[in-house]
Amino acid sequence: HVLIGVGDTVSLNCSVLGAPVVYVVWKRNGKPIAYNNRIKLFNEHFLHIRQVTAQDQAMYQCIASNEWESSTASAEVSLVWDGPHFTHTFPPLEPLSPGQSLSLKCSATGLPLPQIVWTVDGQPVSDNWRLRIGDYVSSDGIVNSYVNISNVGEEDCGLMMCPSAPHFPVSVIPLAADMK
């Protein structure tokens, strides 16, 4: 059993005793491995995975065979669960005039991927004709969430928060949508 962190490198060795060994095959969860610039095989016996992602968590099998018999060895690769943490939050805001637009972004990472929930004064924010919320996961595993408000009004004044559940530290950031 191998414990590894996201972004780390793992190498698995398939040591074979006996002769003749005709071929060595590696599998991931019982299926052939698709090798690429991140997952490489060195002289059949060494499987090398760089920049480990959540998709690399699996049971890896090494099967050594000749015409009379075969032998299998396995190693489970598991990820060390990394609690969620913010990678980007929005800065304190300048006062806004009625009718202006506002766009806020909050980014977080962790395993499992965090779910970002926006709130104002402790109440969940939901989409409407002037407020849009969205998110996406970048190729490096960062959850990017945003809220866009068009035509800012008094009802938008309050304490904007971009916490996430479960067990996410709360980051309270004032939404200074004070009317001039």
Side-chain angles (χ1 to χ4, degrees):
H1 192 207
V2 179
L3 285 175
I4 193 82
V6 172
D8 290 343
T9 297
V10 64
S11 293
L12 302 175
N13 179 13
C14 183
S15 297
V16 181
L17 299 174
V21 174
V22 176
Y23 64 91
V24 175
V25 175
W26 284 88
K27 294 189 176 190
R28 179 181 176 274
N29 292 332
K31 296 180 182 172
I33 295 174
Y35 302 106
N36 55 43
N37 62 339
R38 209 177 51 77
I39 303 172
K40 295 185 178 191
L41 187 62
F42 295 104
N43 76 5
E44 293 187 328
H45 299 279
F46 296 96
L47 179 65
H48 187 75
I49 306 171
R50 293 185 307 110
Q51 300 169 344
V52 169
T53 68
Q55 291 77 19
D56 297 319
Q57 183 170 259
M59 181 65 74
Y60 291 85
Q61 300 89 19
C62 162
I63 304 161
S65 300
N66 62 24
E67 63 183 85
W68 299 284
E69 60 187 337
S70 68
S71 182
T72 302
S74 300
E76 182 178 5
V77 173
S78 298
L79 296 179
V80 176
W81 293 102
D82 183 19
H85 57 277
F86 288 109
T87 59
H88 175 83
T89 56
F90 50 90
L93 303 170
E94 297 295 320
L96 299 170
S97 298
Q100 282 187 290
S101 295
L102 176 64
S103 184
L104 302 172
K105 177 183 172 187
C106 190
S107 302
T109 187
L111 279 176
L113 287 175
Q115 177 185 357
I116 296 175
V117 179
W118 291 84
T119 63
V120 173
D121 291 335
Q123 299 301 312
V125 176
S126 55
D127 284 350
N128 61 47
W129 67 275
R130 353 170 266 102
L131 191 142
R132 291 286 181 240
I133 299 170
D135 62 12
Y136 63 93
V137 180
S138 62
S139 61
D140 54 356
I142 296 176
V143 177
N144 297 284
S145 182
Y146 59 88
V147 59
N148 294 319
I149 305 171
S150 59
N151 196 22
V152 170
E154 282 187 38
E155 66 274 17
D156 300 312
C157 294
L159 203 56
M160 177 64 83
M161 294 169 47
C162 131
S164 184
H167 312 299
F168 206 82
V170 175
S171 177
V172 180
I173 302 156
L175 173 59
D178 301 327
M179 300 300 131
K180 290 182 183 176

